[in-house]
Amino acid sequence: MLEGRHLSVAFDGRPVLDDVSLAVASGERVQLAAPSGTGKTTLCRVLAGYLAPRTGEVLVDGSPLPRRGPCPVQLIGQHPELTLDPRMRMAASLAECGASEEELGRLRELLGIRDAWLSRYPHELSGGERQRFCIARALGAHPSYLIADEVSTMLDAVTQAQIWRALVAEAEARAMGLIFVSHSPALASRLATRVVELPAVPGAVRG
């Protein structure tokens, strides 16, 4: 079980999240739903350990997220260029997840990653191609929970469909919990087993 308990976050003294709690079980596919600017991305970052809350805690099976080593919660963001080292070739970036060559080969095939892309740098690939690597890296870390924050918003329809088929297939095969943010009602209705509505915070900043 992935739990966020009484999470609050503020930037420069202005609230983004206020006493938010949620729990996601293994195998669930949960959509975070709320108007733009009401803290969905901030909550995703807190649940994955990228951002410390002002109050509250994040637990996986009753224990805090580890400070070192592989994290059981992996986050895939909307902008893959922000998470890839521009000085590293893609093969090296992919290998950082620690998966075996056999596992990486399986993930490359699943996500349609071409061998020719492995020797390139991030700026030599399209956004959709970079996103495939980010997804492969996250899956290669063998998370118990995967958070997908608008991962397909900027991609064409064909790439969106391929990426989501791969994510759902992996989530089902591993009984992995999946939390996602999407502004596509059609996509959300097909994917979500449950929807969590985030309450608006009066006077909140966008996050």
Side-chain angles (χ1 to χ4, degrees):
M1 180 77 71
L2 171 62
E3 298 176 271
R5 296 181 177 178
H6 305 292
L7 301 172
S8 297
V9 175
F11 297 133
D12 297 324
R14 299 177 64 189
V16 178
L17 299 174
D18 183 24
D19 196 29
V20 172
S21 295
L22 79 162
V24 179
S26 299
E28 278 197 292
R29 299 195 298 270
V30 175
Q31 179 197 9
L32 296 181
S36 296
T38 50
K40 297 186 296 297
T41 292
T42 297
L43 179 57
C44 289
R45 290 176 59 81
V46 170
L47 291 173
Y50 284 82
L51 180 66
R54 182 178 62 179
T55 64
E57 60 183 348
V58 177
L59 304 173
V60 175
D61 296 332
S63 299
L65 296 178
R67 294 182 179 273
R68 297 181 180 179
C71 183
V73 184
Q74 291 289 315
L75 171 64
I76 309 166
Q78 181 178 351
H79 301 287
E81 66 277 7
L82 299 180
T83 60
L84 294 168
D85 188 333
R87 300 163 297 181
M88 292 180 65
R89 297 185 188 273
M90 301 308 298
S93 288
L94 186 56
E96 284 187 319
C97 70
S100 67
E101 283 296 326
E102 180 180 2
E103 174 69 358
L104 291 179
R106 186 188 71 81
L107 291 172
R108 291 201 306 268
E109 182 177 359
L110 176 72
L111 291 160
I113 295 174
R114 299 176 185 175
D115 290 345
W117 300 347
L118 296 173
S119 61
R120 298 180 186 175
Y121 292 98
H123 74 272
E124 297 176 307
L125 299 176
S126 70
E129 291 162 357
R130 290 191 293 261
Q131 191 68 295
R132 293 169 197 252
F133 277 93
C134 290
I135 294 170
R137 288 201 314 180
L139 292 173
H142 293 281
S144 300
Y145 298 89
L146 188 69
I147 302 175
D149 182 15
E150 296 277 13
V151 296
S152 62
T153 299
M154 302 175 69
L155 308 180
D156 62 83
V158 173
T159 304
Q160 285 191 42
Q162 183 178 22
I163 281 176
W164 280 111
R165 279 198 301 269
L167 283 174
V168 171
E170 285 295 297
E172 290 180 344
R174 304 182 188 192
M176 182 171 59
L178 177 63
I179 301 170
F180 70 95
V181 176
S182 174
H183 287 297
S184 169
L187 176 66
S189 66
R190 291 197 302 271
L191 293 180
T193 58
R194 183 162 60 92
V195 177
V196 171
E197 295 275 355
L198 293 188
V201 179
V205 296
R206 296 175 66 87

